Amino acid sequence: AQKVTQAQTEISVVEKEDVTLDCVYETRDTTYYLFWYKQPPSGELVFLIRRNSFDEQNEISGRYSWNFQKSTSSFNFTITASQVVDSAVYFCALKGGSNYKLTFGKGTLLTVNP
Amino acid sequence: GAGVSQSPSNKVTEKGKDVELRCDPISGHTALYWYRQSLGQGLEFLIYFQGNSAPDKSGLPSDRFSAERTGGSVSTLTIQRTQQEDSAVYLCASSRGPGYSNQPQHFGDGTRLSIL
């Protein structure tokens, strides 16, 4: 069985603060893929990043960075210098290598206040 | 358009009626998925299509739910004899290549279904 846990239900920050969204996953697959999606108030789920289980290299893209650690089964997402437009629900998702479906966490509602 | 297109964007219907939800995937994407998003259950997988066949229907909640895909493109999700617990946002996604690959799934805006 696959499971994704996003322990933070809601986070509220002031603009320009850094914020980290936590994600912990469980899977028995040796090959798997991890994703982060953003869902703004408009409703569309927007793909942000994918990580393969065999690639633990962390990445920085502009104000976004990701920290993937297999040893702790975590795939955390950091926004540096947050902006009001970052306000959204962020979902972490897992797909096993032999599976088709995404297993989503419950999501973290991020509110960035001006 | 370039993205996944879903229609209608909103649907309100009476309990017991049948509804059809439509999804037009990104051109060239062979894999298509339906998910349901509700407050209580979060995001749940419903069904996966590769081409016109559905190798995985494991998420369909009851036999009132069915889906088809024609021409390797448009898909329709049908809910018969709707119940109030069917109220949710129904999301369609598509991806390049087979579903078990690492290709990301790209989602449409969803259809918000309300059962009175």
Side-chain angles (χ1 to χ4, degrees), chain B residues 20-69:
Chain B
E20 280 191 357
L21 312 179
R22 176 189 166 103
C23 172
D24 202 340
I26 294 172
S27 178
H29 281 194
T30 59
L32 185 146
Y33 316 79
W34 284 97
Y35 291 83
R36 181 168 71 173
Q37 185 174 26
S38 59
L39 280 175
Q41 301 300 320
L43 277 152
E44 303 173 281
F45 167 82
L46 297 179
I47 188 169
Y48 156 66
F49 285 93
Q50 182 59 42
N52 291 335
S53 61
D56 190 349
K57 306 180 183 180
S58 62
L60 293 178
S62 76
D63 59 7
R64 295 186 296 105
F65 287 72
S66 63
E68 65 174 12
R69 188 179 185 195

Side-chain angles (χ1 to χ4, degrees), chain B:
Chain B
V4 176
S5 178
Q6 292 188 246
S7 61
S9 53
N10 284 284
K11 178 72 176 179
V12 180
T13 192
E14 294 178 349
K15 177 182 171 181
K17 300 286 189 182
D18 297 352
V19 295
E20 280 191 357
L21 312 179
R22 176 189 166 103
C23 172
D24 202 340
I26 294 172
S27 178
H29 281 194
T30 59
L32 185 146
Y33 316 79
W34 284 97
Y35 291 83
R36 181 168 71 173
Q37 185 174 26
S38 59
L39 280 175
Q41 301 300 320
L43 277 152
E44 303 173 281
F45 167 82
L46 297 179
I47 188 169
Y48 156 66
F49 285 93
Q50 182 59 42
N52 291 335
S53 61
D56 190 349
K57 306 180 183 180
S58 62
L60 293 178
S62 76
D63 59 7
R64 295 186 296 105
F65 287 72
S66 63
E68 65 174 12
R69 188 179 185 195
T70 56
S73 182
V74 172
S75 175
T76 302
L77 177 67
T78 301
I79 309 174
Q80 296 178 311
R81 305 180 303 281
T82 52
Q83 303 294 314
Q84 287 188 335
E85 61 263 27
D86 300 334
S87 296
V89 177
Y90 289 81
L91 292 164
C92 178
S94 69
S95 67
R96 187 190 308 274
Y100 53 78
S101 73
N102 67 349
Q103 294 299 311
Q105 296 175 22
H106 297 276
F107 286 78
D109 288 343
T111 294
R112 183 174 298 276
L113 177 64
S114 300
I115 310 299
L116 302 178

